[in-house]
Amino acid sequence: MIDIKYAGICHSDIHTARNEWGGGTKYPCVPGHEIAGIVAAVGSEVSGHRVGDRVGVGCMVDSCGECEPCRAGEQQYCQRGATMTYNTPVGEAVQPGGHTLGGYSTQVVVTDNFVVTIPEGIGLDAAAPLLCAGVTLFSPLRHWGAGPGKRVAIIGMGGLGHVGVKIAAALGAEVTVLSQSLSKQDDGKLFGAQHYYATADKQTFKDLRGHFDLIINTVSANLPLDDYLRLLRVDGTLVLLGLPEKPLSVQTFNLANGRRSLAGSMIGGIPQTQEMLNFCAEHGIGAEIEVISADQIDQAYDRVVASDVRYRFVIDTATM
Ligand code: NAP
Ligand code: ZN
């Protein structure tokens, strides 16, 4: 049992609360999968966490534990479907209402294997967004080898994107931000980006043609993928993280030409979440946050949708 101190607001919370993903939201819905808090109690068989520990919970609270991805520590790809922190059916016996309820709350009970340790050195408030945004960027950056000598672009400098810039820079990659405008350019450079371009400027797509090894798209809306595929070098990969409501289309010519790949990636497994937190602590990385009270959530949602967030809203649960 965890006393929740802070809960980050992910754009996925908004997609879910507003029922934007094919009508799958179960109400009453309690969003929140960027949870940071303190262990309040443990069951008799729990050995990895003690009362008083600083801990986090991300997007998942359980999985089958037996399938190939689960055994590989990639519970997010559980073949029977991981139990997500909110909006997953679990039956009345487990949770009154029949589905999981998330972190916009003061306490949560989670299977010990799905609880990670927040290292000393990262504040619980700045750590909360790492539980989703952090690992969602860390995982593909590691998988596709972001590091020295690699040119990496991050599309969209919001909650996910700004953490991605910090992590990619700490991994040693040459980082470029592709944002709608140049309004956040100074911040981008502070976070570690060497280059910053506005996608509203058509010249950007001419200047950067064939330039990147890896492009990570964090945008929550539909983008013209062909424009971005053309920015990849031979064998480059465009990874989609943003989960817009409507399907995207692609000219296959832009994949064939340059043997390019179009890929996706979903959060990260529990071991990698711990690895990411340790990496962030070692490199002094936390999310840039604006702490709000519970009665400001509706306003915060509108500001996230309007790209008016610098760079993650975090709810102080003491205000609930
Ligand atoms: P966010 O804070 O709203 O950031 C998204 C950024 O995309 C904005 O800050 C903005 O950046 C850019 N953007 C927004 N609307 C745009 C438009 N119409 N055209 C071009 N750019 C636009 O959201 P987030 O919390 O980072 O989440 C981003 C997306 O990732 C959401 O769809 C969310 O559901 C999804 N997500 C996926 C995973 C996964 O595992 N794959 C995990 C978490 C979240 P600029 O102002 O810099 O242009
Ligand atoms: Zn999220």
Side-chain angles (χ1 to χ4, degrees), residues 9-12 15 21 33 59 132-133 136 155-161 177-181 184 196 199 218-223 240-244 265-267 304-305 307 309 311-312:
I9 294 181
C10 176
H11 206 120
S12 300
H15 291 308
W21 282 334
H33 57 208
C59 300
C132 171
T136 299
I155 314 174
M157 202 170 77
L160 264 57
V177 175
L178 302 173
S179 182
Q180 293 168 92
S181 75
K184 296 180 277 192
Y196 203 102
T199 54
T218 73
V219 173
S220 46
N222 287 49
L223 288 187
L240 306 183
L241 301 181
L243 301 166
S265 182
M266 184 75 81
I267 48 174
V304 171
V305 171
S307 301
V309 52
Y311 283 86
R312 199 58 138 184

Side-chain angles (χ1 to χ4, degrees), residues 69-254:
C70 277
R71 278 183 285 136
E74 298 206 299
Q75 297 86 350
Q76 74 276 31
Y77 304 128
C78 174
Q79 285 168 352
R80 288 174 208 162
T83 304
M84 308 313 279
T85 304
Y86 59 84
N87 205 45
T88 297
V90 286
E92 288 281 347
V94 177
Q95 176 70 57
H99 56 271
T100 52
L101 302 173
Y104 297 9
S105 180
T106 51
Q107 284 193 321
V108 65
V109 178
V110 181
T111 311
D112 56 339
N113 294 341
F114 284 75
V115 177
V116 289
T117 299
I118 297 177
E120 296 294 334
I122 318 180
L124 288 181
D125 49 0
L130 300 177
L131 275 305
C132 171
V135 74
T136 299
L137 272 293
F138 186 77
S139 186
L141 286 166
R142 289 304 283 256
H143 185 79
W144 278 279
K150 292 288 164 103
R151 291 180 181 157
V152 174
I154 308 279
I155 314 174
M157 202 170 77
L160 264 57
H162 90 285
V163 178
V165 172
K166 291 186 178 194
I167 293 174
L171 287 167
E174 182 182 328
V175 184
T176 300
V177 175
L178 302 173
S179 182
Q180 293 168 92
S181 75
L182 296 179
S183 65
K184 296 180 277 192
Q185 177 166 219
D186 292 346
D187 289 347
K189 298 271 168 84
L190 274 179
F191 301 156
Q194 277 99 328
H195 317 284
Y196 203 102
Y197 287 85
T199 54
D201 181 353
K202 288 201 162 46
Q203 190 62 35
T204 293
F205 294 92
K206 292 180 185 149
D207 292 349
L208 296 176
R209 222 180 158 107
H211 187 75
F212 296 107
D213 298 288
L214 178 64
I215 302 178
I216 299 206
N217 174 19
T218 73
V219 173
S220 46
N222 287 49
L223 288 187
L225 293 189
D226 292 299
D227 291 351
Y228 292 91
L229 284 171
R230 284 191 285 263
L231 305 186
L232 290 170
R233 302 164 85 160
V234 173
D235 286 331
T237 304
L238 170 59
V239 182
L240 306 183
L241 301 181
L243 301 166
E245 192 176 355
K246 299 207 174 70
L248 294 152
S249 76
V250 163
Q251 275 286 352
T252 50
F253 184 82
N254 287 319

